[in-house]
Amino acid sequence: MASSLLTRQLTISLQQNLRLTTTVCRYVSKTATKTESEFEYDSPSMKTQVPGPRSQELLRQLGDIQNVGAVHFFCNYEESRGNYLVDVDGNRMLDVYTQISSIPIGYNHPALMKVMTNPNNLSAFVNRPALGILPPENFPEKLIESLLSVAPSGMTRVQTMACGSCSNENAFKAMFIWYKNKERGHNNPSEEDIGSCMINQSPGCPDLSILSFMGGFHGRTLGCLATTHSKPIHKLDIPSFDWPIAPFPRLQYPLEEFVRENAQEEARCLEEVEDLIIKWRQKGKPVAGIVIEPIQAEGGDNHASPDFFIKLRNIAQKHGCAFHVDEVQTGCGATGKFWAHEHWGLDDPADVVSFSKKMLTGGFFHKNELQADKPYRIFNTWMGDPSKNLLLAEVLNVIRREDLLAEVARSGKALLQGLYALQAQYPHILSSARGQGTFCAIDAHKSTVRDSIMLKARNKGAFLGSCGEKAIRFRPSLIFKEYHAHQVLNILNDVLAEHK
Ligand code: PSZ
């Protein structure tokens, strides 16, 4: 069954590749010789504007059932391959957004198709267990093979969860439980604790807080939302907590021209963090944990230096706050290291590291001390999905076998250099090109121009994402190569040349 599926895919791909059209481009770069695992199309191929007529018909249909205001177009996932996403009108786009940064090794990767069609794996896909009570026999082995094989420095424990928000929500709870037990000096709650928690009152529901950063995004569930500060649309009309919010550095680009100003900006933000920790302790709402993204993604691809994060980690330690690094979007290789926090060079980078998206399963790694003291305290029905661990184990094999982190560093360099060249050529439109690995972004001078560039690029076959107020973000999968970088740069160049 597996081999006939693969044969069918190969035949379709060969037929489609024969109908290739080449784009006229500034960058001329050849596709590499294909191996089975690199199997994909060679270039974008556009038949209609996007969304095309079939997508529009489906938008009307779905619109009768749901709000479709955020739907871009409908996809044909069967025909999508590698870096190319095919839509229902037969348009094939280079996907530089990858389902909001969550496709690790491209569409329909043959290695993952094999995992799905391996009869030994079938029961894992068919029978979804309540992992917290009835895990399958191979669960510890699969965790060791997948998640623990990439555990961040100093962390030997991991808790799986369903999505990014669910991971952060439970990580916050683990930090509160840890903090409260530390404060009590033991883990035996009083009668008063037990009685008051049932009616949402202190001391059972203590006034503890999580410090987060302006521009951060940590999810949309109620607790996470109190730490999310990227756009009002996420937060409007939802009750929240009175938790401290620190400024995240706003660096000026190019970095080498603003060394002093940027160092001052980071120092200002760190000073504010310490002030807030002290203020909230005085208010009777001590900071149990600090949560931060290594690169603020939804908030506009805002970077800070390793020095900033090292000092922040020290502040957390000094004040007895847990340090939670949210790697939901930055994790799994896109920055050229498996975890973005590895760029800081710390042996003890964090107390909690959460993940999801390209990791396929959500969850969080944590230090031993952050292990909840009793069963059922960090718990829900599924607590992850063991079938995702099977797929993740294979994704990790492909990353290692094909040395994809080196590939990301290479293609990321080509992408960033191309963005520097574009902003030099169109300084009235583009600025602040920035990135780590392929996790790159560039600002347009205003949001309407950014949106128009992205729509035009999409009609020419490059599907990009946006973030923050006016940034275009690049979130390709890990199999994005230099020639894919050249394809998207050529398309952007054509769009900008036509821009009025
Ligand atoms: O609009 C949304 O809900 C979006 S758009 C992109 C995301 C969410 N990213 C999710 C995300 C993240 O980037 C970081 C750093 N932390 C947590 C999350 C939440 O993950 P999910 O969406 O899986 O709950």
Side-chain angles (χ1 to χ4, degrees), residues 480-497:
F480 183 83
K481 298 196 165 37
E482 272 180 290
Y483 66 86
H484 297 112
H486 291 161
Q487 278 178 8
V488 65
L489 290 164
N490 286 331
I491 289 173
L492 279 174
N493 190 42
D494 293 346
V495 169
L496 290 160

Side-chain angles (χ1 to χ4, degrees), residues 86-99:
V86 176
D87 76 2
V88 288
D89 290 282
N91 297 303
R92 183 204 304 153
M93 288 159 263
L94 178 66
D95 189 357
V96 202
Y97 193 33
T98 60
Q99 313 291 327

Side-chain angles (χ1 to χ4, degrees), residues 8 90 167 323 335 487:
R8 193 176 74 84
S167 309
F323 190 56
T335 67
Q487 278 178 8

Side-chain angles (χ1 to χ4, degrees), residues 63-314:
D64 289 339
I65 307 169
Q66 298 181 344
N67 184 317
V68 289
V71 176
H72 295 264
F73 51 86
F74 283 77
C75 302
N76 180 339
Y77 289 110
E78 289 77 16
E79 296 302 328
S80 301
R81 301 270 181 287
N83 289 279
Y84 297 90
L85 175 60
V86 176
D87 76 2
V88 288
D89 290 282
N91 297 303
R92 183 204 304 153
M93 288 159 263
L94 178 66
D95 189 357
V96 202
Y97 193 33
T98 60
Q99 313 291 327
I100 325 184
S101 198
S102 67
I103 301 284
I105 52 174
Y107 294 102
N108 290 309
H109 195 290
L112 297 185
M113 299 300 248
K114 269 189 198 148
V115 174
M116 288 296 296
T117 49
N118 178 345
N120 298 331
N121 294 335
L122 272 183
S123 91
F125 290 105
V126 173
N127 306 296
R128 187 171 186 179
L131 271 174
I133 54 171
L134 297 165
E137 182 178 9
N138 66 0
F139 191 53
E141 176 197 324
K142 288 293 164 194
L143 280 180
I144 291 167
E145 197 181 310
S146 59
L147 287 166
L148 288 179
S149 77
V150 290
S153 166
M155 294 186 195
T156 53
R157 304 189 74 90
V158 68
Q159 179 58 63
T160 54
M161 284 289 161
C163 68
S165 301
C166 185
S167 309
N168 285 339
E169 195 80 26
N170 281 283
F172 292 177
K173 286 171 62 182
M175 295 194 287
F176 288 136
I177 293 169
W178 162 81
Y179 191 89
K180 200 63 202 166
N181 281 336
K182 190 163 64 113
E183 204 179 61
R184 281 192 190 102
H186 57 79
N187 66 355
N188 298 315
S190 65
E191 285 300 314
E192 197 190 0
D193 287 337
I194 287 169
S196 57
C197 80
M198 291 303 287
I199 50 167
N200 300 356
Q201 300 295 315
S202 111
C205 293
D207 255 337
L208 296 175
S209 61
I210 302 280
L211 181 143
S212 56
F213 289 82
M214 195 47 84
F217 186 102
H218 301 289
R220 290 174 178 258
T221 50
L222 281 173
C224 292
L225 198 56
T227 63
T228 287
H229 318 282
S230 46
K231 287 191 189 133
I233 187 81
H234 302 143
K235 296 175 71 76
L236 191 69
D237 296 336
I238 319 283
S240 199
F241 293 111
D242 174 26
W243 288 355
I245 307 157
F248 190 87
R250 288 292 167 157
L251 301 187
Q252 297 181 66
Y253 290 86
L255 293 178
E256 58 282 6
E257 278 177 31
F258 293 97
V259 174
R260 197 171 47 85
E261 290 84 347
N262 288 339
Q264 275 171 358
E265 168 65 356
E266 292 193 338
R268 176 185 78 86
C269 295
L270 290 168
E271 208 172 296
E272 184 80 7
V273 168
E274 279 212 87
D275 284 353
L276 288 168
I277 293 174
I278 293 163
K279 232 185 239 159
W280 254 254
R281 191 186 299 140
Q282 286 165 350
K283 271 210 223 190
K285 300 178 179 180
V287 175
I290 296 177
V291 64
I292 194 160
E293 299 156 83
I295 301 167
Q296 279 193 337
E298 295 311 300
D301 272 34
N302 306 319
H303 293 246
S305 71
D307 184 60
F308 171 81
F309 288 101
I310 292 166
K311 288 181 174 147
L312 184 66
R313 208 274 176 269
N314 286 340

